[in-house]
Amino acid sequence: CITIKINLCFPSIPYSLKTLSIDGHFDFEQVEHAAKDFGNRYSYLPLAVLYPKSVSDIATTVNHVWQIGGGSELKVAARGHGHSLQGQAQAHRGVVINMESLKGLKMQVHTGNFPYVDVSGGELWINILRESLKHGLAPKSWTDYLHLTVGGTLSNAGISGQAFWHGPQISNVYQLEVVTGKGEVVNCSEKQNSDLFYSVLGGLGQFGIITRARISLEPAPEMVKWIRMVYTDFATFTRDQEKLISGQSTFDYVEGFVIINRTGLLNNWRSSFNPQDPLQASQFKSDGRTLFCLELAKYFNHEDMVLANQEIKTSLSQLNHIPSTLFISEVPYMEFLDRVHISEIKLRSRGLWEVPHPWLNLFIPKSKIHSFAQEVFGNILTDTSSGPILIYPVNKSKWDNRTSVVIPEEDVFYLVAFLSSAVPSSTGNDGLEQILIRNKRILDFCEIAGLGVKQYLPHFSTQGEWKSHFGPHWEAFIRRKSTYDPSAILAPGQRIFQKPIAYS
Ligand code: FAD
């Protein structure tokens, strides 16, 4: 019904797109893949997919959509690697721009005192790593998984265990080239068009399309000492994590994860990690208890190995983990950063990658992490988790409050990421429905207990929910939206955001 209605109202949209003079092309037939994402739960068919060959292809298309006007309700969504969880890179009956085909810009690494690399917005982080390593350099801040695009992670934040020190990826960008909602191509940075620069960073793809980015680099280490250790007591675990992220830590990466109802876990680690005390480690029994694993990494070059080992030994001696659970591994830097891809290959081979992923990512203020843990790990998730649960603190001082990302108000806050995979068509605890029920229980608890939690990679259905997500930043969001994407502003009272959030 809706299709017919829209087609009757705007019969000429596909035709008008076909008349645009562009270097790339539109596909109006093979569009199904653009209605999929990693979350595997939302599917919105677009009208067309644009395969741009140049920035001007994107500018021409967006300008055309702007000229048609907001009344057409034609949405445009940039699609990076499509690893969104809830349709964020999809455009229902709109135009999806396939950013990975924007290969016009060759990656350019600039060495010197402040090294950086200029990349296309559709470039994968794994390719940036490979290219910059040829010059002995690498970006400073990462995500755990590198097969994501620059535009995709910069539209959110981009965080991993380096964020406590370097801030998220959005704190490590010098300059952007953006196609705004009017189809203008604008360069922006801290000094030039700074409002657009900060709007787009963490801006959920709402203010413009990132076509190019200048990413800050640092000398790349050769090797990584990768360390894991276990805690039974949550307070001791978080105290150590917070100690490690405050001041000058010897470690370059601090993360952690929760282990729920697993037996023989430490034995599994043995394939890649060495227990420091093999006999004691083999006698450690988890007995189904909830445990907390601290994960650390220290970068080093071969010639500095002795010094690195000494520093690690001193730092570890100040931590309060269970001594027999200390495991250390030594891997090349590239292997450490690309670690999740190894799991991806294994999961794909077992048909377990393309399943529904009802992930829930939360930012939790430090002062509330204990109440959160008590209820969530003590009550809601006592016997199952359906996937990894990451938990690590970051320093707010490393986040720029001019960006669009929404974070809690405290100096230290935690990322808690429930990275669940649902077993297709299961109605049990591992099925989608039960995982969504657990997610809702967690969110309801946060709301009722007034924990001041913010969602990362957010997705909401109503304007009220978005308003409450942005809180005091809502007015700034509206102002930025009306400045950079004016055709998207609807009459008062109407919903700006629709499912999926698309840049319209
Ligand atoms: P897409 O899903 O294609 O797009 C995401 C959003 O960005 C959409 O709103 C889209 O319209 C917009 N967008 C895409 N390109 C552009 C552009 N060029 N300009 C403007 N807007 C654009 N995140 C972390 O922070 N840390 C992690 O450790 C982490 N690990 C992950 C591991 C896995 C296995 C997966 C699947 C995701 C992980 N994420 C992590 C989340 C990830 O950062 C986001 O889902 C990200 O958006 C995915 O990038 P993408 O290129 O696939 O973007």
Side-chain angles (χ1 to χ4, degrees):
C1 267
I2 295 168
T3 311
I4 293 165
K5 188 174 152 201
I6 286 180
N7 282 347
L8 285 176
C9 293
F10 303 101
S12 59
I13 286 174
Y15 177 74
S16 73
L17 290 172
K18 279 180 197 163
T19 63
L20 296 179
S21 169
I22 55 172
D23 304 317
H25 70 280
F26 284 100
D27 193 332
F28 297 91
E29 310 294 330
Q30 312 288 327
V31 294
E32 292 80 12
H33 69 283
K36 282 191 181 153
D37 59 27
F38 181 78
N40 231 320
R41 295 173 50 212
Y42 292 78
S43 180
Y44 302 98
L45 266 189
L47 191 71
V49 178
L50 168 65
Y51 292 88
K53 273 202 176 147
S54 60
V55 172
S56 101
D57 285 359
I58 297 175
T60 303
T61 304
V62 175
N63 179 265
H64 179 74
V65 172
W66 187 61
Q67 301 281 354
I68 296 175
S72 75
E73 291 185 10
L74 188 65
K75 288 178 178 299
V76 177
R79 178 182 172 90
H81 207 47
H83 276 48
S84 288
L85 297 154
Q86 288 158 295
Q88 286 93 334
Q90 300 180 27
H92 190 207
R93 297 188 211 292
V95 178
V96 169
I97 302 180
N98 191 68
M99 295 304 296
E100 281 191 74
S101 59
L102 183 65
K103 291 286 180 204
L105 177 76
K106 203 175 160 333
M107 260 185 278
Q108 286 185 332
V109 174
H110 295 255
T111 53
N113 285 347
F114 298 99
Y116 61 83
V117 58
D118 284 327
V119 297
S120 156
E123 196 58 78
L124 293 177
W125 285 97
I126 180 71
N127 295 338
I128 301 175
L129 176 62
R130 288 192 185 116
E131 188 62 28
S132 51
L133 280 180
K134 291 180 192 163
H135 303 260
L137 297 165
K140 301 169 181 170
S141 183
W142 293 100
T143 46
D144 292 342
Y145 176 64
L146 307 188
H147 299 248
L148 306 168
T149 65
V150 166
T153 69
L154 294 186
S155 296
N156 287 294
I159 43 174
S160 182
Q162 302 84 2
F164 80 93
W165 180 239
H166 288 295
Q169 290 180 322
I170 53 171
S171 297
N172 292 278
V173 186
Y174 291 140
Q175 214 181 82
L176 297 172
E177 178 189 73
V178 174
V179 175
T180 69
K182 293 181 195 169
E184 293 163 343
V185 183
V186 182
N187 281 312
C188 55
S189 65
E190 188 185 0
K191 297 265 153 45
Q192 186 189 12
N193 300 310
S194 64
D195 187 60
L196 175 62
F197 182 66
Y198 292 115
S199 301
V200 168
L201 293 172
L204 306 173
Q206 294 293 306
F207 307 107
I209 295 177
I210 301 167
T211 46
R212 185 177 171 146
R214 178 165 290 179
I215 315 280
S216 157
L217 302 176
E218 65 179 0
E222 291 163 355
M223 299 294 293
V224 176
K225 286 268 184 194
W226 186 5
I227 303 165
R228 284 180 178 171
M229 63 202 84
V230 171
Y231 294 71
T232 41
D233 178 45
F234 185 73
T236 314
F237 166 70
T238 50
R239 205 176 309 122
D240 276 359
Q241 278 193 321
E242 287 168 24
K243 189 157 56 183
L244 286 162
I245 69 152
S246 68
Q248 283 278 359
S249 166
T250 191
F251 294 104
D252 298 281
Y253 163 104
V254 178
E255 283 205 10
F257 53 92
V258 184
I259 303 162
I260 294 179
N261 202 8
R262 295 276 302 273
T263 45
L265 179 87
L266 302 194
N267 267 338
N268 292 346
W269 289 357
R270 281 164 187 270
S271 56
S272 38
F273 286 82
N274 295 318
Q276 293 307 284
D277 184 339
L279 183 65
Q280 291 284 322
S282 67
Q283 287 167 358
F284 178 80
K285 297 256 179 309
S286 58
D287 296 332
R289 281 173 296 176
T290 296
L291 302 170
F292 306 97
C293 174
L294 178 59
E295 186 172 67
L296 304 171
K298 166 116 179 124
Y299 302 162
F300 68 98
N301 291 332
H302 288 294
E303 75 251 30
D304 309 324
M305 192 155 118
V306 175
L307 181 64
N309 280 336
Q310 274 167 7
E311 286 179 2
I312 291 171
K313 204 171 163 200
T314 311
S315 298
L316 291 182
S317 69
Q318 292 159 21
L319 301 179
N320 297 296
H321 54 280
I322 304 165
S324 62
T325 64
L326 180 63
F327 282 63
I328 303 188
S329 163
E330 196 177 297
V331 290
Y333 180 56
M334 175 77 163
E335 191 180 319
F336 172 71
L337 289 181
D338 203 23
R339 60 199 178 276
V340 175
H341 187 53
I342 295 163
S343 310
E344 174 185 358
I345 293 167
K346 284 186 197 152
L347 289 170
R348 274 191 192 281
S349 71
R350 293 158 56 202
L352 297 177
W353 185 255
E354 290 182 5
V355 297
H357 292 108
W359 286 11
L360 179 65
N361 287 269
L362 304 173
F363 288 140
I364 299 170
K366 171 185 146 178
S367 68
K368 300 292 191 300
I369 195 68
H370 296 281
S371 319
F372 178 87
Q374 205 172 8
E375 174 65 15
V376 175
F377 308 132
N379 249 339
I380 301 177
L381 299 178
T382 44
D383 53 1
T384 182
S385 72
S386 297
I389 303 172
L390 307 185
I391 177 164
Y392 57 91
V394 290
N395 294 306
K396 191 177 178 207
S397 62
K398 304 286 179 179
W399 296 61
D400 195 314
N401 62 11
R402 293 169 289 184
T403 65
S404 292
V405 67
V406 179
I407 54 177
E409 283 304 326
E410 287 184 18
D411 289 348
V412 171
F413 60 91
Y414 278 78
L415 170 77
V416 183
F418 301 90
L419 308 180
S420 307
S421 296
V423 174
S425 56
S426 164
T427 50
N429 262 342
D430 50 4
L432 181 61
E433 203 178 320
Q434 289 304 317
I435 298 171
L436 290 174
I437 289 172
R438 290 200 294 272
N439 285 352
K440 187 167 179 321
R441 278 184 70 192
I442 295 170
L443 287 170
D444 286 350
F445 165 71
C446 294
E447 179 72 27
I448 291 162
L451 300 191
V453 165
K454 293 294 174 190
Q455 285 199 37
Y456 179 51
L457 311 172
H459 177 265
F460 302 105
S461 310
T462 66
Q463 191 182 90
E465 287 168 325
W466 279 109
K467 235 173 150 169
S468 123
H469 171 72
F470 280 101
H473 306 290
W474 174 249
E475 295 306 323
F477 169 77
I478 296 292
R479 181 190 59 72
R480 286 173 159 180
K481 187 81 175 158
S482 65
T483 307
Y484 303 115
D485 187 19
S487 64
I489 294 297
L490 308 177
Q494 280 188 276
R495 279 167 45 194
I496 291 169
F497 288 109
Q498 296 180 1
K499 241 192 249 174
I501 299 173
Y503 159 79
S504 43

